[in-house]
Amino acid sequence: MNALAWTDLDSKAVDTARVLAADAVEKVGNGHPGTAISLAPLAYLLYQKVMASDPADPRWLGRDRFVMSAGHSSMTQYAQLFLGGYGLELSDLQALRTWGSLTPGHPEFGLTKGVECTTGPLGAGVANAVGFAMSARRSQELYDPEATPGTSVFDHFVYCIAGDGCMQEGVSGEASSLAATQNLGNLILFYDDNRISIEGDTSIAFSEDVSARYDAYGWHTQHVDFTNGGTGYEEKLAELHTAIEAAQAVTDRPSFIKVTTVIGWPLPTLAGHHSVHGAKLGAAEISALKAELGFADQPFAIDEEVVGYARANAAARAASVRGEWDARFEAWRAANPERAALLDRVVARQAPEGLDAALPAFEPGSLATRAASGKVLGALAEVAPELWGGSADLAGSNNTTMSGVASFIPAARSSHDFTGAPGGRTLHFGIREHAMGNILNAIAMDGLSRAYGGTFLVFSDYMRTTPRLAALSHAPSIFVWTHDSIGVGEDGPTHQPVEHVMSLRLMPNLDVVRPGDANETAHAWARILRTDNRPSALILSRQNVTTFDRSETGGFAPAEGTARGGYVLKEASAAPQVVLVGTGSEVEIAVAAAEALEAEGVPARVVSLPCVEWFAAESDDYREEVLPADVPKVVIEAGVTVGWKDLLGGNTEAVGIDHFGASAAGTVLYDKFGITAEAAVAKAKALLG
């Protein structure tokens, strides 16, 4: 164990972080000062004494990752980014929670240098931290597989600060359970045990022994009590530092450090009061705090010597750590030119060469798009070694397992069906959809691989915040959601999505992709892997659908049009009088309707619309060419009909379902609920008058 080096300037820097939190929240008039004040010692210890980081290069590959799961206490992190010289200046802290600032109410990935992920929804950051820890292991196995674990340039720690709210949210439990199963020895989680939430003392709703829960998960647990059991407050930084080093030494399981604090300590009169959790402190309390800490009674009056000391210390530590790491990294690059080239491509978020050539071409016939997706993943395994993923216990149904690859689990966790081995690429999330989504987001934001995760579309409700956070973060996460309609059949309305697809389209910056056949599924995967700045939701059918004949004599357009979001699948016999638009499994219904209309002498075009968002990004000319504004349209999708007139124009009618389904065969439900070619023909005739 190394003794903690600590000076009076370090103590002054901690107190500087406290008063900055108080002043910043006071200036804007709202926010969360309490935790930022009482956790300033822990945050400073991590940033200045523990973590490997480089303020001049916040995305340095060898850095440790830090997640502020209690994202409402964003000033806990912002103060350290300021003191450490990551790019935030005093003016940025003065602009906390205001328009155009680099210091929003909750940390946002891509906006503020040094922020690894967007946090805010409580508990999500814990699951993100698990994802970062999994990403670290996968990166070492992908790029440096011969290295002894713990010695690779890709090895690093992940640190996360969580609060009582995070511990109460179910997603933290989901992710923490999985972290133990994965033996993530590179993950260290701090629980700020201050027993306060917005409604006051947590005793009214939260009485469990959290450390015992983490013991039961299989984590290594420790406790550092700043309150000394209620007998007197003492910020035990040396003890906390020793606990961190002990956690670093435990490599076969994640570590949990419970830090018992008093929220807002050392506020003279409000320490421990729930009001400091989510409201400004008031001028009198701040003045008293500054008097106690020896600061001038003026807003943001800090000692530049202290800031200079902290920044110089952070820079010196970075130079020391990077000097050693850079030499090892260059040696790795020289010894592994092919892996280095792969790393460079993945970090640049470039798709693999040979992607299109690797895509399978499906012969005409009948195949569920979920089954086609599974075959595509198998075909991509070699050309895209950075790709890995799995399912929330539905691998056989989601078809999310690449053929011929091992599982990403410790070998001791292997089962009769799945073998864990270093380099494994099949992820097993268990029945933990919410955690899965946050883990995928962290892997995407880490940027060293591409991961996907699957479940039934109806269960996307369990993980709804995760595509939203990915979209907000411009993270290219991949969500595979199968069993996408009443075509699920006998499982009944609890498992049959109705409102889901259209509601997902309402989410900004999310690509909702519902391919119409096997070949569209292949090209959808290719377009998704070329998308580097937004998440994708791949929506797939349970039931078999027609695989269209796209040969020169087959009558259907090449599936490459999938990448444009919408294209003419089958042209009318003459200038179209009506356009039949289909998505997903209903494209074949659109084709049947067009054939019926053509038989009656009505020229009818068929457009496949696998992704509204991709299509909307095309030029006005292209969209007008595919869907002429003056030609009536009938759109067929086995979901709610609301929204189609807004998307395609007022001369549009929709065939869909605006109520819940039922338990019966999918073919029966399509007929009973009128999602048929006959219904589409009737809508077309009504539009034509």
Side-chain angles (χ1 to χ4, degrees):
M1 297 292 180
N2 299 310
L4 174 63
W6 195 267
T7 70
D8 289 342
L9 281 173
D10 290 313
S11 296
K12 194 69 173 179
V14 170
D15 290 340
T16 299
R18 298 189 213 266
V19 299
L20 286 173
D23 281 342
V25 172
E26 194 72 17
K27 183 175 186 295
V28 71
N30 54 77
H32 300 266
T35 297
I37 290 172
S38 51
L39 280 193
L42 168 58
Y44 183 85
L45 178 67
L46 287 173
Y47 271 89
Q48 292 284 336
K49 308 293 183 180
V50 173
M51 292 196 302
S53 60
D54 185 356
D57 184 8
R59 295 290 291 176
W60 165 47
L61 190 66
R63 72 194 183 281
D64 290 332
R65 275 57 163 175
F66 173 79
V67 179
M68 190 69 203
S69 185
H72 57 277
S73 185
S74 54
M75 273 301 302
T76 300
Q77 185 170 20
Y78 295 155
Q80 299 310 319
L81 296 178
F82 165 70
L83 289 171
Y86 283 79
L88 289 184
E89 299 299 339
L90 191 61
S91 59
D92 296 308
L93 303 187
Q94 292 168 334
L96 176 72
R97 299 168 70 96
T98 62
W99 174 263
S101 78
L102 296 176
T103 49
H106 296 80
E108 295 181 22
F109 174 72
L111 176 65
T112 311
K113 292 180 180 179
V115 170
E116 299 285 357
C117 60
T118 301
T119 57
L122 291 174
V126 175
N128 289 148
V130 173
F132 283 117
M134 292 169 66
S135 176
R137 178 188 290 173
R138 174 65 186 142
S139 298
Q140 181 267 312
E141 294 175 352
L142 176 61
Y143 300 112
D144 198 14
E146 289 85 14
T148 301
T151 66
S152 171
V153 291
F154 295 94
D155 290 323
H156 53 264
F157 287 101
V158 179
Y159 300 93
C160 177
I161 293 178
D164 285 295
C166 297
M167 294 297 102
Q168 292 174 51
E169 286 286 0
V171 65
S172 66
E174 291 181 19
S176 297
S177 173
L178 181 60
T181 300
Q182 286 287 351
N183 296 351
L184 296 178
N186 57 343
L187 173 60
I188 300 175
L189 171 63
F190 298 91
Y191 163 41
D192 177 28
D193 170 37
N194 66 30
R195 303 159 307 285
I196 290 293
S197 61
I198 289 177
E199 293 187 1
D201 195 304
T202 56
S203 63
I204 62 175
F206 190 51
S207 57
E208 68 191 49
D209 183 335
V210 180
S211 292
R213 169 153 63 100
Y214 275 79
D215 277 328
Y217 288 145
W219 288 53
H220 172 257
T221 62
Q222 300 177 82
H223 183 203
V224 178
D225 185 1
F226 284 7
T227 71
N228 287 304
T231 63
Y233 205 84
E234 178 186 3
E235 292 177 327
K236 303 175 180 178
L237 291 177
E239 182 179 332
L240 185 55
H241 184 255
T242 299
I244 293 170
E245 290 193 326
Q248 291 171 335
V250 177
T251 60
D252 62 346
R253 49 184 168 155
S255 287
F256 174 90
I257 302 176
K258 174 181 173 180
V259 184
T260 299
T261 66
V262 171
I263 191 169
W265 195 91
L267 289 172
T269 68
L270 293 179
H273 194 276
H274 70 86
S275 64
V276 307
H277 170 86
K280 66 178 185 175
L281 303 174
E285 188 73 7
I286 293 177
S287 294
L289 173 67
K290 290 179 177 179
E292 182 173 320
L293 298 179
F295 282 72
D297 190 11
Q298 298 173 10
F300 301 99
I302 58 175
D303 189 339
E304 291 299 328
E305 179 190 2
V306 173
V307 177
Y309 165 78
R311 291 186 175 183
N313 181 66
R317 289 186 67 250
S320 175
V321 172
R322 287 210 61 166
E324 183 272 338
W325 184 91
D326 286 347
R328 291 195 296 126
F329 183 64
E330 289 307 316
W332 169 82
R333 291 189 69 92
N336 299 274
E338 291 186 3
R339 290 173 183 152
L342 171 62
L343 173 66
D344 292 342
R345 175 177 67 75
V346 174
V347 169
R349 292 187 171 179
Q350 297 173 351
E353 293 183 11
L355 174 59
D356 291 331
L359 297 177
F362 294 92
E363 295 297 318
S366 180
L367 188 67
T369 54
R370 62 177 175 131
S373 176
K375 295 180 183 296
V376 173
L377 287 172
L380 293 177
E382 183 175 353
V383 72
E386 71 272 23
L387 187 63
W388 57 317
S391 167
D393 198 52
L394 291 169
S397 296
N398 299 146
N399 296 93
T400 47
T401 303
M402 294 180 183
S403 57
V405 301
S407 290
F408 184 83
I409 50 175
R413 309 285 191 198
S414 298
S415 70
H416 176 74
D417 299 298
F418 295 99
T419 300
R425 297 165 67 180
T426 298
L427 285 165
H428 303 282
F429 294 100
I431 308 166
R432 305 182 182 98
E433 295 88 355
H434 196 176
M436 175 177 71
N438 284 294
I439 288 168
L440 294 175
N441 288 348
I443 293 169
M445 288 181 280
D446 209 29
L448 300 179
S449 60
R450 290 296 297 272
Y452 60 87
T455 187
F456 291 166
L457 176 58
V458 77
F459 298 143
S460 66
D461 287 340
Y462 280 130
M463 55 189 297
R464 183 75 175 210
T465 63
T466 63
R468 189 177 190 276
L469 284 169
L472 177 62
S473 306
H474 295 274
S477 306
I478 303 172
F479 306 99
V480 181
W481 290 325
T482 71
H483 295 59
D484 66 350
S485 71
I486 57 171
V488 167
E490 290 84 352
D491 275 343
T494 60
H495 283 52
Q496 294 166 358
V498 173
E499 75 279 17
H500 293 69
V501 174
M502 189 59 80
S503 67
L504 286 165
R505 292 190 183 114
L506 297 176
M507 193 176 291
N509 209 45
L510 173 67
D511 293 334
V512 181
V513 189
R514 192 169 183 248
D517 78 344
N519 288 301
E520 282 194 6
T521 304
H523 287 276
W525 266 109
R527 170 67 193 258
I528 288 169
L529 291 178
R530 289 188 170 99
T531 300
D532 64 359
N533 64 350
R534 52 196 286 146
S536 301
L538 185 58
I539 313 293
L540 303 171
S541 73
R542 173 187 186 270
Q543 74 275 26
N544 283 1
V545 296
T546 301
T547 303
F548 299 107
D549 184 352
R550 298 172 186 270
S551 66
E552 292 185 4
T553 59
F556 295 94
E560 284 80 357
T562 303
R564 306 190 76 168
Y567 66 103
V568 178
L569 174 67
K570 187 176 179 64
E571 189 53 278
S573 58
Q577 294 181 22
V578 66
V579 178
L580 282 302
V581 182
T583 84
S585 51
E586 288 72 67
V587 172
E588 63 183 8
I589 297 177
V591 169
E595 290 173 350
L597 287 166
E598 289 277 357
E600 296 184 27
V602 180
R605 170 185 290 179
V606 179
V607 167
S608 178
L609 192 67
C611 182
V612 169
E613 295 77 22
W614 295 347
F615 187 65
E618 292 289 330
S619 68
D620 291 344
D621 288 344
Y622 177 75
R623 286 186 280 115
E624 174 64 20
E625 177 186 334
V626 174
L627 293 174
D630 60 349
V631 178
K633 303 163 192 71
V634 177
V635 61
I636 310 149
E637 181 172 81
V640 294
T641 59
V642 65
W644 281 115
K645 288 184 183 290
D646 293 325
L647 291 171
L648 303 184
N651 58 347
T652 301
E653 292 293 337
V655 174
I657 175 172
D658 291 308
H659 51 79
F660 293 121
S663 180
T667 52
V668 172
L669 296 176
Y670 270 80
D671 182 61
K672 294 291 187 182
F673 295 144
I675 306 175
T676 63
E678 292 78 12
V681 167
K683 294 273 189 183
K685 289 181 176 179
L687 282 169
L688 293 171

